[in-house]
Amino acid sequence: MADKIDVALDRTQVKKAVQALQAFIKTKSTGESLFVDDSQQISLLLTLWKIPRQAQTIRIPLPHGQRTDTDEVCLFTRDEPNMTSEQTQRFYKKLLQERGVKNISEIIPYKVLRTEYKPYEAKRRLLGNFDMFLSDDRVRRLLPSHLGKHFYERKKEPLSVNLLSKHLARDIHSIIQGTVLKVTNKGSCCMVRIGHSAMSADELTENIEAAVKTVVTKLRMKGHVIKVIHVKSLTSVALPIYNSNLSHLGEKKQVTTDETPQKKRKAARKQAKKQQTETTKQTDAAEEKKVEEAEEEEIPQLVPIETPNKKPKLEKPAKKKKQQQQQQLEKAPKAAAAKKGAKAQRKVTKTKMAGKTESKVKRRVPKVK
């Protein structure tokens, strides 16, 4: 599939939808709106085939300016060194006049924004007084913390401008008269302002065609991007001007069937690679096994030695030997003395027994008269 596919709009259908919107707005105008500019914003409602992965802001230059002369534009500038806030305002007013810029109605330096517009009510008043905000690109990153969330909720956050460029008038005019599309990654629908009801039908159709072309080229998506396009105003119903065909869904199937031989080749290559890797793994495993077996044969098995819990003392065996020798020496004389004592006792007992027997014998023998 191609990276980008153009959207072919039917010019007659777009012009009919614009004329219908203008007629509807005229019928809804009342007597109260005669004292005020009764022009309403006309915008495009784009429905995408897929939800984008990343949020994106797209600047769209339009061939015909979409803002009226009554719209007020505010410019935030940086604080010039060695100048007060009033002097900086005068400095930038002179610069814009010299460059031929006439669309900016007020200039607010960064110091004034930080001090005078610090309260919540002042910020709300500033938001309601101006239709568009611009900022010097040197101060753009410092503004979100001082402006607040309401500027971003109403899609009036300031757009950066290079005040040092040589073509300042052209750049500011393209930004003011152009439009900005914010593509979010939270949904598949987005809306862009492309003009107002006071413009002619031809001018609105040209703006629509230019906006669709820039969106298709700058959107970070591939293939068929836009599904449906509607035109609507603030109070009207959305009128369709483009519907994408479902033929590309069938084209996907045909492409897949046509690309089958390529896929087969890729699958064959993958299988060959897998087989090669498997064979290399098997050879590596066999070599590792051989190495392990050789190491097991060379290295003898070691028997674990049971180590005692307490370390043996080296002095004990020598002491034990000395004690045993002393005991043997002490036991030897004692045994001899004991034997002698036992013999003496035996002799005494024998003599005693002999005396007793003699006495008994003597008593038994009768005396001779």
Side-chain angles (χ1 to χ4, degrees), residues 189-237:
C189 294
C190 51
M191 189 176 287
V192 185
R193 179 181 174 181
I194 50 92
H196 53 86
S197 59
M199 296 172 68
S200 63
D202 294 329
E203 291 177 351
L204 288 171
T205 52
E206 289 177 0
N207 285 348
I208 289 167
E209 290 176 354
V212 171
K213 285 181 181 179
T214 53
V215 168
V216 171
T217 54
K218 292 183 179 181
L219 196 61
R220 296 171 186 168
M221 295 176 71
K222 294 181 180 180
H224 291 270
V225 177
I226 297 172
K227 184 177 181 181
V228 185
I229 300 173
H230 294 85
V231 182
K232 72 183 295 295
S233 65
L234 296 174
T235 58
S236 68
V237 182

Side-chain angles (χ1 to χ4, degrees), residues 293-311:
E293 290 176 356
E295 289 178 354
E296 289 179 355
E297 291 177 355
E298 291 176 358
I299 298 169
Q301 293 182 355
L302 300 175
V303 179
I305 299 169
E306 295 181 357
T307 56
N309 294 327
K310 294 182 180 179
K311 293 181 179 180

